Amino acid sequence: MRRIPIRILLYSAGILFMGHQCTVDRTRETQPLPVYSGEALRNVFYPVGGIGTGDILMGGRGNILEMEIFNRPAMDELSPYMTFFSLWYREGEREPVSMVLEREFFNDFPNPFGLPRQQLSGLPRFEEVRWSGAPPYVNLQFEDKEVPLEIRLECFNPLIPLDVAGSSIPVAEFSWVLRNPGDEPVEFSLAFHISNPLKNLNYRGNRPGYPVRNTQFTRDGYSGVFFENLIDPGDPDFGTMAVATDHEGEEILTGLSTRRWWDDAHILWGAFSSDGHLPGSAGDQPSGTPEDHLIVTADTLTSRGTREVVSSLLVRHRLEPGACDTVGYLLAWHVPNRKLEDDQAFGVEEIKGSVTENYYAAGFEDALDVLASYREQRGILRKNSRTFFERMVNSTIPSPVLDAAASNLASLKSNLVSRIDGGHMHCYEGLGPDFGCCPGNCAHVWNYAQTMASLFPSLEREIRETAYFTQTFKSGYQCFRTTFPIGDHHFRSVAADAQFGNIMRVYREWKFCGDSLWLAGIWPAVKRSIRYAWNGPQEDSREADWVSDYEAWDPLREGVLRGRQHNTYDINFYGANMFTGCLYLGALQACSEIAGYLGDSSEGLYRSVYESGKAAYDSMLWNGSFYIQQIEEGHERYQYGRGCLSDQLLGQYHAFNSGLGYILDTARVRKCLESIYRSNFIPDFSDFHNVQRVYALNHEGGLVLCGWPEGKRELIPFPYADEVWTGAEYQVAASMIRTGLVKEGLELVEAVRKRYAGYNRNPYAEIESGYYYARALSSWSVLLAMSGFSYDGSRNSICFDPVPGREDFTTFWSCGSGWGNFTRTGSGITLEVDYGQLLLKEFGIGRSGPGVPLQMTLNEKEVSYDWDPGTRKLILKNPVLLRTNDRIHISLEHQ
């Protein structure tokens, strides 16, 4: 066969990428997101699915790694049985060639029983794959010098900020694009082979072996196979799935079931590799088929027992020289019931193993209904998803920041989050291979996250409502985890960082949506929560029994927390410290502003306690470079004392992101962040000593949680002091950038993403206690910091203040009612609304920007405003409502 060089044209949602020889290409000039190939694909896996729906897990080689649709992650060595894409082609009159549409395996075969054969590992595959993208699109370019076609796969599930329903559809779309660059015609067959996953649910040992039925269907121009398991519809394992294509020239194998050895693989591949057709496509059993084997190409096949049933959906076509064709497959699923994990009950025996409904499933009858609904909406869902993706990748945000923010969106598409019982959000901290780790919306881990608050704020408000309406007692005691199913049973622990972080997040959610009625409804519970610091648990209450060794944290209302302060390091800090203290100050400031807005007379009280505490913490803990801890006598173990804690300004981080601004002295905030960088950033871990959990090593760089620059390290410090958490690194980086330490902040982010480069770790699933660790969703805050974005829905005010030195700047933006694009050049500023709407009264153009405004227009019609040079805001004389496709333009005059 003649060799035809293949041009690598990696096209993702309108963006053209040129391929490169390096393993991970991060050059901003060639593509906004990294391109992974070779060894960099080794650890890549990526979920294709909706929010709270489960997912189809794609491996970096283009392989379907798992079907994680059964309410749990499912990552082990055994992939779904005979589930893969394959290609047969014939160039001109040459001999036909058949291959699995995947990259070849990596040269690492430690299994003493050989490479698992689930997906026919011994068949030919492509030499290389180049992978790029992030939710909602990833693209895989397949390369093989012997293949006369350019082949690309796009994997897609909708992701549209603010559109929770449109982003929560249980469907995966696989679009294969084939182009013939040669001078001879190429005939090809492209097949999707899939075993009915509802028989054995991907468990080992061909169990439970449910009876299943495969049914061929044709509806509204689509043809495919509908999968069912024939069990009680109320059973947690009950479900349906459907695979379909709208391409002409299709062949359908409804089911292939054999009883011995690997006969099914021999029959399937024998037929496909010989002439590019499916077994039985001529209407008869292939010659020599044993009588105890069943090949069904007609309407229905019903199977009982444990043996797998394999179906195939094939498309055949001929490509003339220069011609291109797209072969699309839709895979939809519907698993309506969910058996909650025992650990979600936190020891409450009567609710262990409760069965509830998956919220996503309530809108559909079965997988066929999912397909029908998706097809009706597909055009607008793809359009809005494409717009979001393009706005992201076309921004001028530095590549490592964009990579971190975009790639970590995959967490929202994984089993990390679920929605049950009418829409209640349940979030793990992370995911293990086949279980969720640390359930219950853990408030002091999700404390760091900003992604969901920015893109799907209604889901964040739902979590706040759950915390304050179901987990907060009359005393203000708040369980920092939620027991599921929600009811009169609780996780019996309170955490200081979670208690006050939640208050700051209520403030954030209010500002982002501007809904004063929502704020007024949740405010009484928030007031109880802040006052718990002063009063502690009520006598004779059940929470008093749970915290028998607790006293009020700040009984004298001095603004300083003392005593036992449980926190995200899974221990208790004793004594004044700025980690919990800064969150407390931020919560007091937030309560003061909320009270003032709602006309609550307690505004002054919160303000005075805040001012007192701020002065006290400065006096007690500031050592000239950073804030230390005053350890209470008798509690020396698991503290940090004179150490420099990376998270000591977490409350200031929240204040930046919520719009509170500085809650500490500005000079000291910057000095503190400089100290954290000098003390805790390790550019090379090869000489670093760490006996704790290891997330950075060898010559990698990263930020440890605590350093002791004065050399007075505790003999036994708090358990995670020497660890590297990406969520902490991002929050520190964001605060650095907000305070002008841009170089240092970007260095932290770049160090993180170098540790997640595919060959070492998965770039789409940052780890801590499990994959997709929620704390890493603080990555979005770095994007916000680079753009200097803030929004106050209570004032209809939006502001952008990009980092200095970036005169020509563009970025995606979002708020509670709409999203779009912001662009600043030397001559003007443009704000576009791509989705939703934006009611605008104030427009801040930032202190770092050039010039002063000359004119403001809305869709080329002049808008009257007053200019405030002190705040650099345009104050509109009459508010304007921007709808989808509207744009504001501000002409600038240089001074």
Side-chain angles (χ1 to χ4, degrees):
M1 180 177 293
R2 64 191 177 91
R3 298 173 181 266
I4 298 178
I6 298 177
R7 292 178 293 127
I8 310 305
L9 299 175
L10 188 55
Y11 181 80
S12 179
I15 309 302
L16 187 66
F17 303 126
M18 299 305 296
H20 298 268
Q21 296 299 315
C22 54
T23 300
V24 181
D25 190 344
R26 298 177 181 273
T27 308
R28 177 66 203 201
E29 286 73 17
T30 53
Q31 68 277 319
L33 294 174
V35 176
Y36 303 99
S37 63
E39 283 294 314
L41 297 169
R42 179 181 290 275
N43 294 300
V44 170
F45 54 82
Y46 173 89
V48 185
I51 297 173
T53 69
D55 61 86
I56 307 301
L57 193 67
M58 295 298 296
R61 296 185 301 103
N63 52 314
I64 296 179
L65 194 61
E66 297 287 357
M67 290 194 177
E68 298 184 312
I69 65 173
F70 301 110
N71 304 317
R72 62 183 177 88
M75 291 180 283
D76 61 20
E77 194 178 20
L78 296 181
S79 297
Y81 186 74
M82 285 180 64
T83 299
F84 58 92
F85 295 96
S86 67
L87 174 72
W88 175 97
Y89 68 86
R90 178 172 19 226
E91 182 186 16
E93 298 301 320
R94 293 170 175 81
E95 289 296 313
V97 177
S98 54
M99 310 172 71
V100 173
L101 272 166
E102 297 172 5
R103 184 199 187 274
E104 63 186 25
F105 287 89
F106 299 104
N107 292 318
D108 182 14
F109 312 114
N111 192 320
F113 299 97
L115 202 63
R117 59 163 299 277
Q118 309 302 106
Q119 295 178 344
L120 308 190
S121 308
L123 297 178
R125 284 164 165 79
F126 281 69
E127 292 176 344
E128 192 55 272
V129 162
R130 293 183 182 269
W131 172 302
S132 182
Y137 295 95
V138 292
N139 278 265
L140 290 75
Q141 185 77 26
F142 289 77
E143 298 180 27
D144 194 303
K145 58 181 175 293
E146 301 293 347
V147 178
L149 294 170
E150 294 174 350
I151 302 174
R152 176 174 59 86
L153 169 64
E154 178 191 88
C155 305
F156 170 76
N157 174 276
L159 192 148
I160 304 163
L162 305 185
D163 185 0
V164 175
S167 304
S168 304
I169 301 175
V171 68
E173 187 169 342
F174 303 104
S175 298
W176 291 93
V177 181
L178 300 92
R179 180 177 177 271
N180 178 7
D183 53 11
E184 292 189 69
V186 177
E187 186 179 8
F188 75 86
S189 294
L190 198 156
F192 188 3
H193 312 285
I194 177 172
S195 64
N196 188 329
L198 303 163
K199 175 177 279 291
N200 297 312
L201 287 76
N202 290 338
Y203 288 106
R204 294 176 181 268
N206 288 347
R207 296 290 187 272
Y210 290 128
V212 295
R213 180 167 57 220
N214 295 6
T215 304
Q216 191 176 140
F217 70 89
T218 298
R219 292 187 182 182
D220 302 323
Y222 279 79
S223 299
V225 182
F226 178 55
F227 305 106
E228 309 167 81
N229 57 10
L230 306 178
I231 61 176
D232 182 352
D235 192 293
D237 290 344
F238 173 77
T240 60
M241 177 178 268
V243 60
T245 183
D246 63 350
H247 200 288
E248 60 183 10
E250 81 281 357
E251 296 177 12
I252 299 176
L253 173 63
T254 310
L256 168 62
S257 179
T258 64
R259 297 183 182 178
R260 300 178 183 222
W261 289 95
W262 306 310
D263 297 10
D264 50 1
H266 283 294
I267 293 170
L268 179 66
W269 198 253
F272 180 78
S273 62
S274 64
D275 60 7
H277 290 285
L278 297 175
S281 60
D284 301 318
Q285 298 281 82
S287 176
T289 301
E291 293 182 0
D292 60 354
H293 294 353
L294 186 61
I295 301 172
V296 176
T297 58
D299 293 342
T300 300
L301 178 149
T302 300
S303 169
R304 303 182 185 277
T306 61
R307 294 290 293 189
E308 302 279 3
V309 182
V310 180
S311 297
S312 297
L313 185 54
L314 178 148
V315 167
R316 194 175 182 93
H317 193 64
R318 176 185 172 94
L319 283 176
E320 298 297 332
C324 183
D325 190 25
T326 298
V327 179
Y329 293 98
L330 297 179
L331 185 63
W333 59 93
H334 185 261
V335 180
N337 310 311
R338 174 182 291 266
K339 181 180 179 181
L340 298 179
E341 301 295 329
D342 286 351
D343 61 359
Q344 291 179 272
F346 293 109
V348 182
E349 292 297 327
E350 60 266 29
I351 63 172
K352 278 187 177 180
S354 295
V355 177
T356 184
E357 182 181 49
N358 278 318
Y359 182 71
Y360 82 83
F364 309 103
E365 293 183 4
D366 54 27
L368 286 176
D369 194 27
V370 174
L371 275 183
S373 175
Y374 179 70
R375 292 198 309 267
E376 289 177 2
Q377 308 173 68
R378 182 174 179 268
I380 190 63
L381 293 173
R382 285 190 64 92
K383 175 181 178 296
N384 289 334
S385 296
R386 185 179 300 275
T387 300
F388 165 63
F389 184 83
E390 289 181 348
R391 292 305 196 190
M392 285 288 290
V393 300
N394 285 331
S395 72
T396 55
I397 299 292
S399 288
V401 176
L402 180 64
D403 178 25
S407 296
N408 279 303
L409 288 172
S411 296
L412 300 182
K413 296 293 194 168
S414 74
N415 279 283
L416 186 72
V417 299
S418 60
R419 299 186 74 191
I420 59 176
D421 289 337
H424 290 303
M425 288 286 294
H426 175 268
C427 305
Y428 287 105
E429 292 181 27
L431 296 180
D434 59 359
F435 59 90
C437 181
C438 311
N441 300 345
C442 181
H444 58 202
V445 168
W446 282 86
N447 223 359
Y448 294 67
Q450 298 293 332
T451 305
M452 193 157 64
S454 292
L455 300 184
F456 299 101
S458 64
L459 297 182
E460 280 284 358
R461 291 197 299 273
E462 198 282 325
I463 297 173
R464 298 293 86 71
E465 292 164 12
T466 296
Y468 283 98
F469 297 151
T470 73
Q471 306 301 309
T472 304
F473 298 103
K474 288 183 179 180
S475 66
Y477 176 105
Q478 186 179 86
C479 308
F480 74 87
R481 296 185 191 269
T482 298
T483 300
F484 284 83
I486 296 172
D488 193 22
H489 28 258
H490 299 87
F491 178 73
R492 302 179 179 184
S493 186
V494 63
D497 56 347
Q499 188 97 359
F500 303 119
N502 257 344
I503 293 173
M504 298 193 77
R505 291 196 285 170
V506 166
Y507 182 87
R508 177 190 66 188
E509 267 65 273
W510 164 51
K511 288 293 185 177
F512 213 63
C513 72
D515 189 341
S516 59
L517 292 178
W518 180 84
L519 180 68
I522 206 169
W523 173 237
V526 173
K527 285 180 65 174
R528 296 198 305 271
S529 178
I530 191 69
R531 290 168 181 258
Y532 179 81
W534 306 338
N535 305 322
Q538 293 179 340
E539 293 185 10
D540 301 323
S541 66
R542 56 180 170 177
E543 63 266 29
D545 294 334
W546 301 345
V547 293
S548 57
D549 58 343
Y550 274 89
E551 296 180 357
W553 287 314
D554 184 18
L556 301 180
R557 302 183 184 181
E558 299 173 284
V560 175
L561 302 178
R562 295 181 173 86
R564 178 182 178 184
Q565 300 157 59
H566 189 64
N567 58 67
T568 196
Y569 307 124
D570 296 331
I571 44 81
N572 309 305
F573 283 158
Y574 288 89
N577 69 88
M578 198 47 114
F579 174 52
T580 57
C582 192
L583 287 163
Y584 181 39
L585 293 180
L588 287 165
Q589 182 81 308
C591 284
S592 176
E593 291 205 14
I594 293 171
Y597 181 85
L598 295 177
D600 189 314
S601 61
S602 59
E603 174 189 7
L605 173 60
Y606 300 128
R607 178 76 63 181
S608 66
V609 177
Y610 159 75
E611 295 289 353
S612 172
K614 177 183 175 184
Y617 276 118
D618 277 342
S619 174
M620 297 166 62
L621 305 182
W622 181 251
N623 71 354
S625 297
F626 55 89
Y627 294 94
I628 62 172
Q629 177 195 12
Q630 287 190 352
I631 302 175
E632 293 180 3
E633 186 175 353
H635 296 286
E636 288 77 14
R637 181 177 292 188
Y638 305 141
Q639 308 299 295
Y640 69 93
R642 307 287 296 182
C644 180
L645 189 70
S646 290
D647 281 333
Q648 61 188 280
L649 298 182
L650 187 65
Q652 182 61 69
Y653 161 79
H654 272 294
F656 283 143
N657 286 297
S658 64
L660 276 171
Y662 280 93
I663 57 174
L664 299 173
D665 178 80
T666 57
R668 290 188 173 182
V669 167
R670 182 181 172 110
K671 183 76 170 178
C672 185
L673 290 166
E674 289 173 341
S675 299
I676 290 171
Y677 175 79
R678 285 196 306 270
S679 170
N680 299 356
F681 180 64
I682 312 295
D684 187 325
F685 272 85
S686 57
D687 291 327
F688 186 77
H689 297 241
N690 174 22
V691 300
Q692 301 168 2
R693 298 176 302 179
V694 179
Y695 303 120
L697 75 167
N698 298 336
H699 298 291
E700 296 176 332
L703 187 79
V704 296
L705 289 179
C706 196
W708 281 264
E710 298 175 350
K712 299 178 181 179
R713 179 184 169 110
E714 311 306 305
L715 175 63
I716 304 179
F718 69 93
Y720 306 140
D722 297 324
E723 295 181 4
V724 175
W725 294 357
T726 66
E729 291 175 290
Y730 289 135
Q731 72 89 2
V732 170
S735 292
M736 285 178 171
I737 292 167
R738 293 273 191 183
T739 55
L741 300 172
V742 179
K743 177 179 177 294
E744 294 83 351
L746 292 179
E747 190 175 0
L748 293 190
V749 177
E750 185 173 359
V752 176
R753 295 311 292 172
K754 284 182 178 179
R755 299 200 310 270
Y756 288 84
Y759 69 90
N760 45 12
R761 299 172 189 84
N762 184 9
Y764 299 100
E766 294 183 12
I767 62 172
E768 191 182 311
S769 187
Y771 296 114
Y772 306 110
Y773 201 72
R775 204 186 314 265
L777 293 173
S778 59
S779 54
W780 196 265
S781 67
V782 190
L783 184 149
L784 298 177
M786 289 300 301
S787 64
F789 174 78
S790 63
Y791 177 75
D792 185 346
S794 68
R795 297 170 56 89
N796 306 126
S797 175
I798 196 169
C799 180
F800 296 87
D801 193 9
V803 296
R806 297 177 179 270
E807 183 174 290
D808 290 340
F809 180 85
T810 184
T811 188
F812 167 84
W813 65 268
S814 63
C815 69
S817 61
W819 55 264
N821 197 62
F822 168 84
T823 301
R824 186 183 71 183
T825 66
S827 60
I829 289 171
T830 302
L831 181 73
E832 299 168 271
V833 175
D834 294 320
Y835 182 94
Q837 61 185 28
L838 176 68
L839 183 61
L840 191 61
K841 174 64 177 175
E842 300 176 359
F843 194 147
I845 62 174
R847 300 178 184 277
S848 65
V852 297
L854 280 176
Q855 184 187 50
M856 172 186 269
T857 60
L858 170 59
N859 300 332
E860 301 183 354
K861 294 182 179 180
E862 189 167 353
V863 176
S864 298
Y865 63 89
D866 292 318
W867 169 241
D868 183 347
T871 62
R872 288 187 60 82
K873 286 185 177 181
L874 293 84
I875 313 299
L876 279 62
K877 293 184 177 180
N878 295 296
V880 297
L881 180 64
L882 283 75
R883 296 183 173 85
T884 301
N885 297 323
D886 285 348
R887 71 169 54 190
I888 286 275
H889 182 73
I890 301 170
S891 300
L892 297 175
E893 177 185 33
H894 289 267
Q895 292 183 327

